[in-house]
Amino acid sequence: MNFEQLLISAKNGNSDAKAKIFDMYMPLLIKESLENRVFDEDLYQELQEVFLQAIKTFSI
Amino acid sequence: MDNQEKITQYRFTAYLMKSIANHKARYGKKKKRLLDAEELFGDFNDLLPEHQAQYIENDIYSEGIQNAALEKAIAKLKGRDAKILLLHLLEDYSLKEIAALLNIKYNSVLSIYARALKKVKDEMGDNNNEF
């Protein structure tokens, strides 16, 4: 399954597809959750929500 | 991976990065406000009521309040009521933000605020139009 198909099924609520895309972007979310080299757990959780929201609202 | 697929992935990555940047900007502001509020009101609720009143009278929580009668009126309020009133009037927090900050219902904040305002007005006399 290519990225576009994965994204389409994630948009349709497929949890496996969401998990696969999440695995791809997890390093980015972790990197963005660092502030002065300290990991901000709260920010990481909020960015996970932003990620899920982005899947929902992104138009292919 | 063909070109079209790459483009979709790049577009999604760019979209996600933009969303993250926007969220982080909001998060930074929110965190700063929380820290400021903590700094301002940190131990306020741990104090005895008479000490809370004293604190307000000593101008520690009343920066920006010039009117002595108003200060006294606010000093007579309960800790939480004074906090809500000051956060809304001096710190420009919306009542919804205060509800989230203090972890109480919006309607409660609304009624506490209205009650506190009335108390202050009553305390200062009907002729005063400070608010």
Side-chain angles (χ1 to χ4, degrees), chain B residues 69-80:
Chain B
L70 179 60
E71 258 189 62
K72 273 191 182 165
I74 291 176
K76 284 190 179 174
L77 293 175
K78 274 190 225 158
R80 190 179 65 171

Side-chain angles (χ1 to χ4, degrees), chain B residues 63-103:
Chain B
E63 195 184 339
I65 301 177
Q66 303 300 326
N67 187 320
L70 179 60
E71 258 189 62
K72 273 191 182 165
I74 291 176
K76 284 190 179 174
L77 293 175
K78 274 190 225 158
R80 190 179 65 171
D81 297 8
K83 195 188 230 180
I84 289 172
L85 199 70
L86 294 176
L87 275 175
H88 187 61
L89 296 176
L90 291 186
E91 299 290 315
D92 285 335
Y93 276 66
S94 75
L95 295 179
K96 271 187 186 162
E97 284 172 327
I98 296 172
L101 193 68
L102 302 181
N103 203 16

